Amino acid sequence: MSLLKVEGLQVHYGGIQALKAINFEVKQGERVALIGANGAGKTTTLKAIAGLLKLQQGHIFFNGNAIDNTPAHARVGLGIALVPEGRGVFAHLTVADNLLMGAYLRHDRTNIRSDLERYYALFPRLAQRQKQWAGTLSGGEQQMLAIARALMSRPRLLLLDEPSMGLAPLIVKQIFNTLIEITQEGVTLLLVEQNAKLALQTCERAYVLDEGLVSLSGAANDLLKDPKVIHAYLGA
Amino acid sequence: MDIFLQQMVNGLLLGSIYALVALGYTMVYGILGLINFAHGDIVMVGAMVTLSTIGVLEGHLPIGVILLVACLVAIVVCVLMGLLLERVAYRPLRHAPRLAPLITAIGVSLLIQYSAALIWGKQYIALPELFKPSQYVWAGVEINALQIFIFVLALLIMASLALFVKHTRLGRAMQATEQNADSATLMGVNTTGVIALTFAIGAAIGAVAGVMIDLYYGQAHYFMGFLLGLKAFTAAVLGGIGHIGGAMLGGLLLGVIESLSAGYIGDLTGGLFGSNYRDVFTFFVLIGVLMLRPSGLLGRATTERA
Ligand SMILES: Nc1ncnc2c1ncn2[C@@H]1O[C@H](COP(=O)(O)OP(=O)(O)OP(=O)(O)O)[C@@H](O)[C@H]1O
Ligand SMILES: [Mg+2]
């Protein structure tokens, strides 16, 4: 069964129709990429799934249930976590408090503690900066924090919006290796990336968005060799 | 010398009440970017309700119980008003241009004032003499037990609020909502509820401030929320609007400045201005501080706000 299924999704911003009719699904345990040019509607799709935007048409099913009318804050409790474009860390909270905010809906104190330890071990830079305001972190550290914070909710589905943006290649590599490690423990991943090559190398399947529609989809390995993809997104 | 000390003590006492009122302005501003102009009037209602409750209960119960009940009634009334205000006047305008809720706030402020005038009349209402607080003289400074009680209670309230915001789960959610409402939602925070909670806490603290004003001045008036609100808002801006510690510092400072200027303005100006000019002087200080530190004493530079 698919963990996430999006059917005929339409979203408007005022007069602008950002999503025309998006269909796709993500199965439990998969890593799926959403790629496309600037303005294709990738961020809009993720925000709609997280509940930050209203749908004009269509449905979103999570774990078999329609969540169209579930408010955004309640979707977190269902197991959906979004790491937004631009990271959205709480600049004037400490790193530790940012992580605790990730566990806002959880009440299992001892497990929260052990999860904290775990992400500090996974991202040692965060451990060294526990008491620092998140706004003082570098871009890469903020991205690590945003990912770890999302994971603190113990999501079933992790939505990531451009985690590589503005980061040095070495850091990107570190973060993506960590992501693969985490998904191997059962977290399902829906990844939006400008860097199509990286996305296709990281994920098993992908959908290509083009002006608010899905124009292509398939196994990541096939898309990497697809002449249309190579021409439009891999810059060869 | 003892005039100076006496004015300092008076100023800190008055300032602690300003600080409590200022907290209501600063917390709402922090979370909504909105100046809740009606907050001073909510405090006025708290003061009025307290006087009415005391009037009803006087002679039937011990003083301490009367004051406690009056305070609880004021808190309940003010919290309900704060919640209603948020729900009816501000929530529908959350995504409207900034000027719209500001105008609504002014309208609500007038509505509360004139309703209060209808209920309680336009004359001053006096607090009946409930008891004679014992008077102390120490290093030439006079202070009574009631004043000490007000000051200590104000400090306790401020400390509890600071601890709540900094160290509890809900307090962290308030800070998170203030810093980035979308991100807070993505953590599972019901930001609408957090905003309502913020109004409720501000109103509850304001209600206690209203009780203190009754005790401090011995009277209340339907229009007193206006100047009080203006001063408390000034205190919040002085400390750095949106900053809780700033509102506390700003309130205390404002009280001291006001009190010292009342005591010395005559001497300093060779008798040209009397102590009734203290408010003018106080606002001059505000303008001076803002010229040097536009974001207030403890405020963050506005560019840092997301
Ligand atoms: N708040 C908004 N108001 C109006 N239009 C918007 C808004 N946000 C996005 N859009 C429009 O919706 C379309 C899709 O935007 P979206 O941010 O989803 O694209 P994207 O694929 O994430 O692009 P990028 O790769 O640049 O992040 C664009 O045409 C954009 O201009
Ligand atoms: Mg985007």
Side-chain angles (χ1 to χ4, degrees):
Chain A
M1 192 177 71
S2 52
L3 183 63
L4 175 75
K5 193 171 162 91
V6 171
E7 262 182 27
L9 196 63
Q10 287 187 25
V11 175
H12 303 237
Y13 292 106
I16 302 164
Q17 188 164 22
L19 303 184
K20 288 167 189 159
I22 303 276
N23 296 292
F24 67 88
E25 63 181 326
V26 180
K27 296 208 165 60
Q28 171 69 43
E30 265 191 320
R31 285 192 298 274
V32 174
L34 215 53
I35 58 177
N38 290 121
K42 307 179 297 291
T43 296
T44 305
T45 305
L46 291 193
K47 281 186 169 178
I49 297 169
L52 294 178
L53 294 173
K54 243 176 69 192
L55 321 181
Q56 264 73 31
Q57 285 281 322
H59 299 288
I60 299 171
F61 296 95
F62 186 70
N63 202 26
N65 302 312
I67 56 167
D68 310 350
N69 296 318
T70 309
H73 64 87
R75 294 187 195 190
V76 181
L78 297 177
I80 300 176
L82 167 64
V83 178
E85 197 171 40
R87 302 152 194 138
V89 299
F90 301 113
H92 300 288
L93 288 185
T94 62
V95 167
D97 280 349
N98 266 271
L99 291 173
L100 285 178
M101 279 309 298
Y104 181 72
L105 293 180
R106 292 173 54 189
H107 296 282
D108 46 340
R109 275 169 181 254
T110 49
N111 290 331
I112 292 175
R113 279 270 138 234
S114 62
D115 281 8
L116 269 179
E117 296 309 322
R118 171 159 184 242
Y119 295 121
Y120 282 143
L122 210 52
F123 301 109
R125 281 151 169 269
L126 297 183
Q128 293 154 16
R129 291 164 176 76
Q130 289 179 44
K131 299 227 158 63
Q132 219 166 298
W133 274 3
T136 64
L137 298 182
S138 75
E141 289 157 359
Q142 288 192 16
Q143 189 65 60
M144 295 174 196
L145 177 60
I147 293 172
R149 185 181 65 173
L151 289 169
M152 283 299 291
S153 71
R154 292 207 169 168
R156 299 182 61 187
L157 175 65
L158 182 62
L159 310 169
L160 283 173
D161 199 348
E162 312 234 15
S164 76
M165 189 159 56
L167 304 185
L170 198 67
I171 307 254
V172 171
K173 205 168 163 192
Q174 264 178 29
I175 289 181
F176 275 68
N177 284 339
T178 308
L179 281 177
I180 292 177
E181 202 176 305
I182 286 162
T183 54
Q184 278 159 356
E185 293 164 17
V187 179
T188 306
L189 182 67
L190 179 59
L191 171 70
V192 160
E193 258 298 338
Q194 277 286 315
N195 184 339
K197 190 169 168 197
L198 180 66
L200 292 173
Q201 286 167 346
T202 307
C203 295
E204 295 138 356
R205 288 195 306 118
Y207 293 87
V208 180
L209 278 194
D210 192 4
E211 298 192 3
L213 289 169
V214 174
S215 61
L216 264 178
S217 64
N221 283 331
D222 298 339
L223 289 175
L224 272 171
K225 287 176 253 157
D226 188 310
K228 278 178 288 187
V229 175
I230 291 173
H231 176 74
Y233 303 108
L234 300 178
Chain B
M1 188 60 210
D2 34 5
I3 293 193
F4 176 77
L5 275 184
Q6 183 70 54
Q7 297 293 2
M8 279 297 283
V9 168
N10 293 351
L12 284 173
L13 180 59
L14 187 60
S16 67
I17 302 178
Y18 288 160
L20 293 184
V21 182
L23 284 170
Y25 283 98
T26 228
M27 287 181 5
V28 165
Y29 184 88
I31 215 153
L32 284 184
L34 165 106
I35 298 162
N36 176 14
F37 252 95
H39 184 61
D41 301 297
I42 290 186
V43 176
M44 174 273 293
V45 170
M48 289 300 204
V49 166
T50 301
L51 292 179
S52 296
T53 315
I54 291 174
V56 171
L57 297 181
E58 199 194 347
H60 300 290
L61 289 167
I63 310 290
V65 178
I66 292 181
L67 278 179
L68 191 65
V69 172
C71 189
L72 290 177
V73 172
I75 289 175
V76 169
V77 170
C78 290
V79 166
L80 289 177
M81 273 180 74
L83 289 175
L84 186 73
L85 183 65
E86 188 273 328
R87 182 70 192 83
V88 176
Y90 298 140
R91 197 181 299 176
L93 297 175
R94 201 164 295 158
H95 301 287
R98 286 248 172 143
L99 213 49
L102 185 66
I103 289 166
T104 309
I106 294 171
V108 169
S109 166
L110 291 173
L111 180 75
I112 298 176
Q113 282 169 24
Y114 289 108
S115 311
L118 281 179
I119 297 171
W120 288 287
K122 294 196 173 180
Q123 72 288 7
Y124 275 92
I125 301 196
L127 176 74
E129 189 158 346
L130 297 168
F131 57 98
K132 268 238 168 300
S134 35
Q135 196 83 18
Y136 304 101
V137 181
W138 178 77
V141 176
E142 276 184 43
I143 189 161
N144 70 37
L146 188 61
Q147 292 169 328
I148 295 173
F149 173 74
I150 291 177
F151 188 66
V152 171
L153 182 62
L155 291 188
L156 275 179
I157 291 173
M158 290 187 245
S160 321
L161 180 72
L163 287 176
F164 169 76
V165 169
K166 245 191 149 30
H167 296 292
T168 66
R169 173 173 169 276
L170 216 49
R172 260 199 307 277
M174 283 174 70
Q175 292 186 70
T177 304
E178 177 190 328
Q179 292 175 30
N180 189 331
D182 267 354
S183 281
T185 304
L186 291 175
M187 304 297 110
V189 176
N190 178 352
T191 51
T192 305
V194 166
I195 289 168
L197 176 73
T198 304
F199 272 84
I201 294 176
I205 295 176
V208 178
V211 178
M212 291 175 173
I213 285 165
D214 287 339
L215 296 173
Y216 182 81
Y217 290 110
Q219 59 183 16
H221 184 247
Y222 82 102
F223 195 60
M224 73 175 199
F226 178 74
L227 191 58
L228 175 69
L230 203 59
K231 285 185 186 171
F233 173 66
T234 303
V237 172
L238 187 64
I241 186 118
H243 191 291
I244 287 182
M248 300 177 187
L249 178 66
L252 290 171
L253 264 179
L254 195 77
V256 169
I257 293 166
E258 183 180 322
S259 181
L260 288 182
S261 52
Y264 287 102
I265 207 165
D267 293 348
L268 287 177
T269 59
L272 186 60
F273 297 119
S275 65
N276 48 341
Y277 276 83
R278 62 178 184 269
D279 291 340
V280 177
F281 188 77
T282 305
F283 284 100
F284 268 121
V285 170
L286 172 77
I287 293 166
V289 170
L290 291 186
M291 282 192 332
L292 296 174
R293 282 194 63 97
S295 50
L297 293 171
L298 302 183
R300 301 164 187 149
T302 40
T303 47
E304 271 185 324
R305 294 186 60 89

